[in-house]
Amino acid sequence: MRKILIVSAAALILGACSTVAETVRGPELAPIGYPAALVPVQQAYLPAPQARPEASAASANSLWRAGARTFFGDQRARQVGDILTVNINIDDRAQTQNSTTRNRSNEISGGVSNFFGLENSLGRAFPGGFDPQNMVGLEGQSSAAGSGSVNRAERVNLTIAAVVTDVLSNGNLIIQGRQEVRTNREVRELTVAGIVRPEDISAGNTISHTQIAEARISYGGRGDISRVQSTPAAQSLVERFSPF
């Protein structure tokens, strides 16, 4: 237990130091690295592809270079490590409205005509206010009314390059891409991940977000403006767990 407390305290101190450093210097860009694969649990995988041989110089009197991928062939992404362009053009609108009204009332009564002769004693204890035929009586009434409406409009028009991180056994490709842009003290982050069919990739090596299965698209930011606009942590906890 003591070790757990020490580790927790150290994590809090490191997190606080990171927050203080970010407040002073502004948000830092994440290091460039190979994106993590989006891994379905039930899906089988092909073995890792073999490294491609390095291309050698072109032969004499020939435009063909030994070991080159293609001459006039297909240049679309098909193997792990290949890059393709994802066009994100989201223009969604949704509107719903509903109302609910509920009323409920109930009444229960019961009596005891004989109870070991004690009903007479109760009658003497409560003169004029005791009726054995109506010893117990319950009444209840409840009502509820609610209404709600949703009117949402989303519009996102972005382009991002993604990397093929895995090839499934049926030939589909798992892609994932991340992009960060820093302006002054605000970092804009865009991430995309999902599964695509090689047949849906256009001749220009591009694909639309509507053709990505299990698409995960995130667009947001971090920095001074985002921190000011966000709800304080204590207030968020109170609003989340408050029973009222």
Side-chain angles (χ1 to χ4, degrees):
M1 184 66 181
R2 187 175 182 181
K3 293 181 178 180
I4 296 176
L5 293 175
I6 294 174
V7 172
S8 302
L12 290 174
I13 293 173
L14 291 176
C17 293
S18 176
T19 303
V20 172
E22 182 174 319
T23 303
V24 175
R25 297 195 303 264
E28 298 292 339
L29 296 177
I32 297 175
Y34 199 80
L38 178 65
V39 183
V41 178
Q42 300 87 354
Q43 187 68 53
Y45 290 91
L46 293 175
Q50 300 295 327
R52 303 191 186 110
E54 295 182 359
S56 59
S59 303
N61 302 323
S62 175
L63 297 177
W64 179 257
R65 185 171 56 184
R69 292 181 60 187
T70 56
F71 189 60
F72 293 110
D74 191 356
Q75 296 290 332
R76 293 179 294 181
R78 289 187 180 275
Q79 300 183 23
V80 174
D82 289 347
I83 297 176
L84 73 159
T85 302
V86 180
N87 295 322
I88 303 173
N89 187 8
I90 300 175
D91 190 2
D92 295 339
R93 295 180 181 273
Q95 184 174 1
T96 60
Q97 186 172 0
N98 54 61
S99 60
T100 302
T101 302
R102 181 181 62 188
N103 293 303
R104 179 179 179 180
S105 60
N106 55 67
E107 182 177 352
I108 301 174
S109 61
V112 178
S113 58
N114 295 288
F115 188 69
F116 301 104
L118 296 178
E119 66 276 3
N120 296 326
S121 300
L122 292 175
R124 290 192 299 269
F126 303 98
F130 177 73
D131 184 3
Q133 302 299 324
N134 294 283
M135 283 187 66
V136 180
L138 298 175
E139 294 183 4
Q141 184 176 0
S142 64
S143 62
S147 62
S149 62
V150 176
N151 188 2
R152 187 186 67 197
E154 299 174 348
R155 186 179 181 88
V156 179
N157 191 355
L158 298 167
T159 301
I160 183 175
V163 180
V164 177
T165 57
D166 207 346
V167 180
L168 302 182
S169 58
N170 57 5
N172 290 341
L173 310 176
I174 296 179
I175 64 170
Q176 186 165 351
R178 179 186 179 93
Q179 184 184 88
E180 293 186 0
V181 178
R182 174 171 174 170
T183 304
N184 294 334
R185 298 174 63 87
E186 189 76 13
V187 173
R188 190 265 290 160
E189 299 174 330
L190 171 62
T191 60
V192 61
I195 305 174
V196 302
R197 297 193 311 165
E199 296 82 2
D200 293 333
I201 303 175
S202 69
N205 198 32
T206 63
I207 191 170
S208 173
H209 78 279
T210 57
Q211 296 172 304
I212 302 177
E214 292 296 318
R216 302 291 185 268
I217 300 173
S218 173
Y219 181 82
R222 52 189 172 88
D224 291 348
I225 298 176
S226 300
R227 184 167 52 252
V228 171
Q229 290 180 336
S230 62
T231 305
Q235 182 178 347
S236 299
L237 289 174
V238 172
E239 292 177 352
R240 182 173 182 83
F241 297 104
S242 175
F244 306 103

